[in-house]
Amino acid sequence: MSDADFEINKDAMVWVKRGNDLFRSGDLEEALFSYDKALEIDPENSKIWDTRGVVLADLGWHVEAIESFEIALDLEPDNSRAWSNMGVSLGASNRFEEAINCFNRALELDPGDDEAWANRGTAFFSMAKYGNALESFDKALDINPDNPGALAGRGSTLRFLRRYEDAAEALEKFMKKAPEDLLHMREEAWAMLLEIRLIMDREKQE
């Protein structure tokens, strides 16, 4: 997030900037404290409530995060980022239908949001709706061909659809493009890629 994203009370901005710095450094609980202080000064600011929700989600407190996103959307119903962020927390809470509704609303407001498309794909994947998932991941990659979540999701979806060559291609690209901080996703992708190669080798021998 950038400080330029916020049009808020000058005194609240001091706390927002502090929160942003702490958020970037990974000190999430102190960041949350700073955003709460900002909201004491400017309680009607949708973007602060939204960012507060992101911090809560990163802490794993999705019930509280959803409440924060709901306040953000009460204040600004057309806040596409808050719709998308709430969808992520709903998905993390296994409320996939509600998550998809949030992503759909976010994409109505901002159809070029590749992250919302990728997250929508993840929700469909979690429901084993692989055709819908693939459509969403492909849309995300049309917008941003290097979106790591969409590449990984596309590879996983194609594996379940038994389109092994296409799955391997997507996972190989993910391995090349994924940032180092996605270590767990890289490990999962590597394991899946090995499995796919074994399947492909076995099919060639049959």
Side-chain angles (χ1 to χ4, degrees):
M1 80 197 69
S2 71
D3 298 335
D5 290 337
F6 295 90
E7 296 179 4
I8 62 173
N9 179 286
K10 181 175 67 175
D11 294 327
M13 178 60 84
V14 174
W15 286 106
V16 168
K17 287 182 176 179
R18 180 178 184 273
N20 289 354
D21 290 341
L22 290 162
F23 185 90
R24 294 185 190 104
S25 70
D27 192 345
L28 299 181
E29 293 193 13
E30 278 298 312
L32 181 61
F33 173 81
S34 295
Y35 294 128
D36 282 342
K37 295 296 289 186
L39 286 167
E40 289 178 11
I41 300 167
D42 191 1
E44 300 296 310
N45 192 284
S46 171
K47 292 180 176 60
I48 305 176
W49 282 106
D50 175 40
T51 305
R52 179 180 183 270
V54 172
V55 176
L56 288 163
D58 281 5
L59 285 165
W61 302 345
H62 291 289
V63 172
E64 294 84 354
I66 290 166
E67 292 172 354
S68 199
F69 296 134
E70 288 174 338
I71 294 171
L73 290 165
D74 283 342
L75 293 166
E76 186 184 353
D78 290 343
N79 185 335
S80 63
R81 191 178 73 167
W83 280 111
S84 185
N85 288 334
M86 184 158 71
V88 172
S89 280
L90 287 165
S93 305
N94 296 324
R95 295 164 62 180
F96 300 119
E97 291 281 4
E98 294 171 84
I100 289 166
N101 288 337
C102 287
F103 296 132
N104 287 343
R105 181 60 181 140
L107 290 164
E108 287 175 11
L109 296 165
D110 183 6
D113 184 349
D114 59 296
E115 283 299 321
W117 281 110
N119 289 328
R120 181 177 185 265
T122 299
F124 275 124
F125 180 87
S126 298
M127 298 172 69
K129 294 186 176 182
Y130 300 124
N132 297 107
L134 185 60
E135 180 183 5
S136 293
F137 291 133
D138 284 346
K139 184 65 177 178
L141 292 167
D142 285 342
I143 298 165
N144 176 11
D146 294 334
N147 183 303
L151 286 169
R154 186 174 195 273
S156 298
T157 302
L158 289 166
R159 183 259 177 267
F160 276 90
L161 292 172
R162 301 180 183 275
R163 292 172 52 183
Y164 298 122
E165 289 188 13
D166 292 336
E169 181 181 348
L171 291 169
E172 287 168 356
K173 186 172 182 181
F174 166 77
M175 295 292 292
K176 292 177 182 177
K177 299 290 185 179
E180 293 298 326
D181 61 352
L182 295 181
L183 178 62
H184 67 291
M185 289 181 64
R186 292 169 64 91
E187 290 174 346
E188 289 173 6
W190 180 245
M192 186 175 294
L193 190 55
L194 289 176
E195 178 198 20
I196 288 169
R197 286 172 176 163
L198 287 171
I199 292 170
M200 291 170 66
D201 287 343
R202 187 165 60 245
E203 287 183 346
K204 288 178 183 177
Q205 294 171 7
E206 292 178 353

